[in-house]
Amino acid sequence: MDVGFIGLGIMGRPMADHLINAGHRLFLYDVKPVPDDLTSKGGTVCGSAKEVASKAEIVITMVPDTPHVEAALFGPEGVAKGLSEGKIVVDMSSIAPIETKRFAAEINKLGCDYLDAPVSGGEVGAKAASLTIMVGGPERAFEKVKPLFEKMGKNITLVGGNGDGQTTKVANQIIVALNIQAVAEALLFAARAGADPAKVRQALMGGFAGSKVLEIHGERMIKRTFDPGFRIELHQKDLNLALQGARALNIALPNTATAQQLFSACAAQGGSQWDHSGLVRILETMSGFEIGQTPPGSGDD
Ligand code: NAD
């Protein structure tokens, strides 16, 4: 297929790479220079999102936030200017469900289908083509795009209509944030109590407390590797969507609010570019103890 890919950052680059490796013709655009490895494999660089849409049948966007998707789709040189009837726009970024419905309606007016298809699994999942993909939109478009999704991910679900994919992703981000908070508190507790946090993580992994977050981010917390990965500023964006949504829906998400405050405290300490597992650092600051330190008093008894 002729596929357009807009946004070739941490996630987009390996995702586009899998599509090229699968034999699709890729038309690429980013506001930054397109990575050389994609062009050397045969990807075509375009000068605008409009050019991508005029050349490809299916146009994928993977950019940071709602305003970036809006710019890529409806800017002066945007996707909408290059579309013709029957093409499909697939937004794989994590953005606002409500704005997504508006974007879909605008694209539908041009005779094109729209899928919101945000992902979970992070950089590791993008590189391993094992992303979870949660999709909203019409089934006919989903069936056409599914072979592409299958090259980028494993657990692929059509959840419902436009916006439902993004709603699912917000729910995902609530679970991940609270899980990071739980793992960070548990490992901090164990380390301060004098247990080896690496052994504690290992012991817990097979039980009811086991999770991907314990496995991957627990290891990051122990090994102190906080390069992104998934930037705290992006998780703040997702929890804002959750908290704004909760307000509009008149429901309470108290623990999501706490996690957001902890991310804000990280950002205030210069950590907006840390990986989101870096949330542990603010808990450590609050407790005056870092995982990996020797607890005071140990060895005296
Ligand atoms: P990133 O910042 O690394 O990459 C985004 C890319 O989009 C950049 O290269 C940027 O130059 C480009 N871009 C921005 N505006 C553009 C525009 N108008 N036109 C063309 N290109 C534009 O971000 P990322 O980590 O790859 O995340 C992308 C999306 O995926 C976000 O919505 C994020 O929440 C989501 N996501 C990220 C992860 C992760 O672990 N990094 C995991 C799941 C979901």
Side-chain angles (χ1 to χ4, degrees), residues 9-129:
I10 288 178
M11 298 295 285
R13 182 179 179 170
M15 291 163 73
D17 188 49
H18 294 310
L19 297 179
I20 294 177
N21 292 342
H24 298 290
R25 288 212 305 175
L26 266 279
F27 297 91
L28 308 166
Y29 175 68
D30 194 298
V31 288
K32 292 185 195 157
V34 169
D36 288 340
D37 53 319
L38 297 178
T39 48
S40 62
K41 281 188 175 177
T44 305
V45 179
C46 294
S48 67
K50 174 183 169 184
E51 188 185 337
V52 171
S54 67
K55 292 190 167 150
E57 313 154 54
I58 294 172
V59 181
I60 297 172
T61 49
M62 192 55 169
V63 295
D65 199 354
T66 309
H68 305 92
V69 175
E70 181 150 36
L73 295 184
F74 304 111
E77 290 290 303
V79 167
K81 296 270 189 336
L83 286 176
S84 49
E85 213 173 316
K87 294 191 174 186
I88 304 173
V89 174
V90 186
D91 178 35
M92 302 191 77
S93 331
S94 307
I95 68 159
I98 292 175
E99 297 301 295
T100 289
K101 288 183 187 169
R102 182 166 67 81
F103 297 163
E106 289 300 316
I107 295 295
N108 293 162
K109 281 184 200 160
L110 302 170
C112 300
D113 280 332
Y114 185 100
L115 296 174
D116 44 301
V119 307
S120 172
E123 189 184 12
V124 173
K127 286 185 173 161

Side-chain angles (χ1 to χ4, degrees), residues 123-204:
E123 189 184 12
V124 173
K127 286 185 173 161
S130 63
L131 293 168
T132 290
I133 307 180
M134 26 211 135
V135 190
E139 189 155 8
R140 61 173 181 269
F142 176 71
E143 290 304 331
K144 275 193 209 154
V145 180
K146 205 170 166 195
L148 301 183
F149 289 149
E150 285 168 346
K151 294 293 171 205
M152 299 183 277
K154 290 226 162 76
N155 179 17
I156 302 154
T157 310
L158 178 63
V159 181
N162 281 131
D164 288 354
Q166 294 294 357
T167 295
T168 309
K169 173 67 187 183
V170 174
N172 180 85
Q173 293 304 79
I174 293 172
I175 295 172
V176 173
L178 270 55
N179 205 348
I180 289 175
Q181 199 181 322
V183 167
E185 290 192 5
L187 292 181
L188 178 60
F189 164 77
R192 178 63 183 80
D196 176 350
K199 294 241 170 70
V200 171
R201 169 183 165 276
Q202 198 184 337
L204 295 179

